[in-house]
Amino acid sequence: MYRLITGIAGPSGFGSASTAEQVTQGIDASNLTAIITGGASGIGLETARVLALRNANVIIGARNLEAANEAKQLILKDNNNARVHVLKLDLASLKSVKTFADNFIDLNLPLNILINNAGIMFCPYQLSEDGIEMQFATNHLGHFYLTNLLLDKMKETAKSTGIEGRIVNLSSIAHIHTYEKGIAFDKINEKRSYDDKKAYGQSKLANLLHANELSQRLQAEGVNITVNSVHPGLIMTNLFKYSGVLMKILKFCTSILWKNVPQGAATTCYVALHPSLKGVSGKYFVDCNEFKPSRFARDKVLAKKLWDFSIKLVNAA
Ligand SMILES: NC(=O)c1ccc[n+]([C@@H]2O[C@H](COP(=O)([O-])OP(=O)(O)OC[C@H]3O[C@@H](n4cnc5c(N)ncnc54)[C@H](OP(=O)(O)O)[C@@H]3O)[C@@H](O)[C@H]2O)c1
């Protein structure tokens, strides 16, 4: 908390005040291709801008193509050498996730970095196209399926180039506020017990568990790909659209704890690009430093159970 408020750097040399440009200063990503989901706004857009600034080839996955093309133009305005492409992706539809992955594979590009960034928060109860509670479907299941569909491409790229692949899941400190058993497997779609805050926390816990389980599986296979999770900090973005007034009041009272968007994208960019994290996998980062997540997030049995559960949901859909 002291470091968050003061911005004093942690062991990594960076802290809550560091920006995405600062943590990637001097890094040449010209031989890297990265996918960023939800890269049309907020933290995802800043991540896309800074990765492109470091010369990475960036693919923005977005459900709103108009917004994504505007985001692309914004990036190009200040950096006309930026390599940015836009592909349609609706994470709340497994069919759309599959089409996105197929379209990406058809581009015949390598894939070094996958940033599972898109998300929604605190929406009223609703079901996705596949009949799954919307926050779990968008934040976790869509990303789970997408990652699995792109994994062979990432493995191929890591093997043929010798460059470590990196997967970054955008989790949140909110992962600590979840249902009683962490993931409510038997009530995942239950309307009666739905709590918009806990459902968000559950989906962010799922992002962490997914990263940890995948990291373990890839390590066991001897694959040169790391998987980590991040909490970007508190940043006023469109994410707060379902809790606007409440959060604006909260922000007013707790302004010292909030970051701007360039600071909000720092941890993602640090984990995706920084050479000091070579070989570091299955970890959780806050303010560009490793952080201990909740007891549920460290539960390997829960992570395995979520993996099997997610596979079943995808197969059923
Ligand atoms: N901001 C914070 O304080 C904070 C704190 C902790 C964690 N996070 C995490 O950081 C990530 C980025 O959030 P943000 O603050 O940058 O919010 P944001 O500005 O609302 O960005 C979220 C992005 O996700 C996209 N998205 C939502 N549903 C989608 C779907 N079904 N398919 C494809 N894209 C979809 C949004 O697209 P549309 O514009 O079409 O909705 C938007 O581009 C999220 O995972 C969030 O949980 C944020």
Side-chain angles (χ1 to χ4, degrees):
M1 186 58 84
Y2 175 71
R3 280 219 304 257
L4 168 67
I5 293 169
T6 59
I8 287 175
S12 69
F14 302 112
S16 62
S18 305
T19 65
E21 284 200 24
Q22 286 166 347
V23 305
T24 57
Q25 193 68 49
I27 295 175
D28 174 20
S30 55
N31 55 352
L32 303 179
T33 300
I35 289 179
I36 304 166
T37 69
S41 65
I43 298 164
L45 170 54
E46 177 65 359
T47 302
R49 185 188 74 79
V50 172
L51 260 59
L53 186 69
R54 302 297 172 229
N55 298 317
N57 191 10
V58 173
I59 290 91
I60 292 177
R63 61 178 167 177
N64 179 344
L65 286 185
E66 206 184 312
N69 280 312
E70 276 172 26
K72 176 180 168 174
Q73 291 313 319
L74 207 73
I75 295 172
L76 285 168
K77 207 171 122 214
D78 287 336
N79 172 10
N80 53 21
N81 295 322
R83 292 181 291 161
V84 183
H85 315 268
V86 168
L87 283 182
K88 170 100 178 157
L89 169 66
D90 181 355
L91 286 152
S93 155
L94 294 176
K95 195 172 152 203
S96 169
V97 173
K98 176 78 171 80
T99 306
F100 171 88
D102 288 344
N103 288 339
F104 175 75
I105 303 289
D106 286 347
L107 293 177
N108 219 4
L109 290 169
L111 183 59
N112 307 92
I113 299 170
L114 171 61
I115 301 181
N116 290 322
N117 163 82
I120 51 167
M121 185 174 78
F122 303 166
C123 60
Y125 178 85
Q126 53 190 295
L127 294 177
S128 71
E129 187 179 287
D130 306 293
I132 295 157
E133 185 278 307
M134 193 56 105
Q135 298 196 68
F136 189 79
T138 306
N139 299 353
H140 167 64
L141 199 66
H143 282 129
F144 174 84
Y145 186 41
L146 177 69
T147 307
N148 280 356
L149 291 171
L150 295 172
L151 212 48
D152 281 344
K153 171 58 84 178
M154 289 196 78
K155 287 180 188 175
E156 257 170 55
T157 305
K159 199 169 174 194
S160 63
T161 60
I163 301 171
E164 179 182 83
R166 292 191 182 181
I167 298 172
V168 185
N169 277 6
L170 269 278
S171 177
S172 168
I173 195 71
H175 79 272
I176 60 178
H177 183 65
T178 182
Y179 293 108
E180 199 185 347
K181 293 179 180 161
I183 308 288
F185 292 105
D186 50 345
K187 295 180 181 169
I188 210 79
N189 295 329
E190 195 182 87
K191 189 172 182 183
R192 196 169 44 88
S193 55
Y194 181 72
D195 175 318
D196 59 352
K197 314 286 182 298
K198 288 186 179 170
Y200 178 69
Q202 169 179 258
S203 72
K204 293 286 118 183
L205 171 64
N207 291 147
L208 249 156
L209 291 168
H210 169 223
N212 292 350
E213 175 70 16
L214 180 58
S215 164
Q216 207 169 34
R217 284 170 184 249
L218 294 177
Q219 275 172 16
E221 266 184 69
V223 173
N224 187 21
I225 300 174
T226 64
V227 196
N228 292 294
S229 326
V230 306
H231 165 61
L234 272 177
I235 305 103
M236 188 48 77
T237 61
N238 288 342
L239 192 71
F240 291 88
K241 67 182 170 203
Y242 292 108
S243 53
V245 179
L246 182 74
M247 286 319 290
K248 280 188 180 113
I249 295 169
L250 186 71
K251 187 180 179 197
F252 181 74
C253 305
T254 58
S255 57
I256 206 158
L257 302 178
W258 291 69
K259 294 180 175 184
N260 57 37
V261 173
Q263 292 167 339
T267 307
T268 304
C269 290
Y270 172 72
V271 175
L273 284 189
H274 206 277
S276 69
L277 292 190
K278 190 167 166 38
V280 175
S281 192
K283 305 292 184 198
Y284 172 59
F285 291 84
V286 177
D287 298 335
C288 301
N289 286 281
E290 207 183 310
F291 199 82
K292 191 174 171 186
S294 72
R295 182 174 55 84
F296 281 134
R298 288 177 278 127
D299 185 334
K300 291 186 176 159
V301 176
L302 189 63
K304 165 86 172 69
K305 197 170 168 191
L306 175 67
W307 185 281
D308 295 341
F309 180 70
S310 306
I311 293 278
K312 267 194 203 139
L313 287 179
V314 168
N315 289 344

